[in-house]
Amino acid sequence: MKLSVNNKLIERNKKIAQTTLYVSLGLLIVGFIWTLRDTEPSKSLIGYLILIPAFLLVQISIYLANRWGKSPRPDEAVVSALKGLDNKYTLYIYTAGVPHLLVGPIGVWIINPYYHEGEISYNSEKKRYQQKGGPKIFAKYFAQEGLPNITKDVISLRKDHRKYFNNNSIHIDEEPLIVNLFISDNVKIILNDAPEINLISNKLKVFIRKFIKDTKLPTEKVEELRNKLPESD
């Protein structure tokens, strides 16, 4: 499989994630020390004024660290899940309008990774994804945020993809297939009623091989798409 990777973006965001983490932890320490040292209400209030933004900054740093700081990052997990595909496929990582765009004989796919743990299900009445279990309370506040609104994420990805293709005069006959990929080893998915394809990492290539038996994009069409997208490394 060929790769087109925006390494500058990844390195920049990795540094931002690390800096945000250090600053948030530093503010937490200062805030705790201040509140413990000064028992006078007027002075201890300053400590709480430090702790509140520090806690908010911790949440931001968790968000950034989960995407850019920890290894394997989501993009690394997607590459690992697709390892073994031949050079008829190209994975575009932050270079083609959406974070992970796969182009090949299967057509155009958007791979949408989630690292969340626990049991992931879809509530057809509320039309939303739900998470049960997963990390403990401490980990939720200091290691992993809760499951985001996947339906909203999917809508946003479609919009970003359409905008990029339109701006670059790239036309395809069908909308890209979106695959929500759950990359944690500690996840169980019960998503038969969900509107999108949902898979765990080790099932992605199996699904691709089954899919290509029924749907195959002509080689010339694949090459035409590749020629209009950023070059692979």
Side-chain angles (χ1 to χ4, degrees):
M1 179 180 66
K2 295 180 179 180
L3 296 175
S4 172
V5 186
N6 189 340
N7 287 307
K8 287 184 179 179
L9 176 71
I10 291 172
E11 289 303 315
R12 185 196 70 188
N13 287 345
K14 190 190 296 185
K15 289 177 182 177
I16 291 172
Q18 291 172 343
T19 303
T20 306
L21 176 63
Y22 296 147
V23 171
S24 64
L25 291 177
L27 285 174
L28 279 176
I29 292 169
V30 170
F32 277 124
I33 292 174
W34 196 291
T35 53
L36 292 173
R37 189 187 65 179
D38 291 303
T39 54
E40 234 181 275
S42 59
K43 291 183 178 180
S44 61
L45 180 61
I46 297 173
Y48 290 110
L49 291 175
I50 296 172
L51 283 174
I52 292 170
F55 181 76
L56 294 174
L57 199 57
V58 165
Q59 302 306 304
I60 294 170
S61 71
I62 291 169
Y63 175 87
L64 293 172
N66 284 329
R67 285 157 182 77
W68 307 102
K70 292 182 179 179
S71 188
R73 299 186 308 268
D75 62 286
E76 292 172 330
V78 171
V79 171
S80 178
L82 294 170
K83 188 177 180 180
L85 292 181
D86 59 32
N87 284 340
K88 294 176 183 176
Y89 294 86
T90 303
L91 179 65
Y92 298 87
I93 302 174
Y94 305 110
T95 58
V98 294
H100 310 95
L101 188 77
L102 181 66
V103 174
I106 53 173
V108 179
W109 288 16
I110 296 172
I111 311 295
N112 184 26
Y114 291 96
Y115 48 80
H116 299 78
E117 302 175 358
E119 182 181 291
I120 311 296
S121 60
Y122 183 76
N123 187 321
S124 55
E125 292 182 2
K126 294 182 179 180
K127 295 185 178 180
R128 64 178 299 168
Y129 291 81
Q130 301 175 150
Q131 178 187 25
K132 289 182 181 179
K136 303 299 181 184
I137 292 176
F138 180 84
K140 281 188 176 181
Y141 283 107
F142 293 98
Q144 182 182 119
E145 80 267 21
L147 188 71
N149 188 328
I150 294 178
T151 302
K152 187 176 179 181
D153 287 351
V154 168
I155 292 170
S156 179
L157 285 169
R158 288 197 185 280
K159 183 179 178 181
D160 290 343
H161 162 79
R162 198 175 294 119
K163 180 180 178 181
Y164 180 86
F165 269 44
N166 287 340
N167 288 345
N168 290 276
S169 301
I170 303 172
H171 304 287
I172 53 176
D173 296 331
E174 297 180 2
E175 283 285 303
L177 182 72
I178 293 186
V179 177
N180 296 322
L181 187 68
F182 294 88
I183 60 180
S184 171
D185 292 330
N186 302 311
V187 68
K188 179 181 179 182
I189 59 174
I190 306 173
L191 296 164
N192 295 330
D193 297 329
E196 293 86 32
I197 303 297
N198 297 277
L199 301 168
I200 56 175
S201 291
N202 61 8
K203 299 295 182 183
L204 180 56
K205 280 192 298 184
V206 175
F207 181 77
I208 288 173
R209 288 175 182 135
K210 288 181 180 178
F211 188 92
I212 201 170
K213 290 178 181 179
D214 301 317
T215 305
K216 188 171 183 179
L217 198 66
T219 303
E220 58 271 17
K221 185 64 177 176
V222 175
E223 289 306 313
E224 183 184 335
L225 277 171
R226 280 176 165 176
N227 290 335
K228 292 182 178 180
L229 291 166
E231 290 186 10
S232 56
D233 298 337

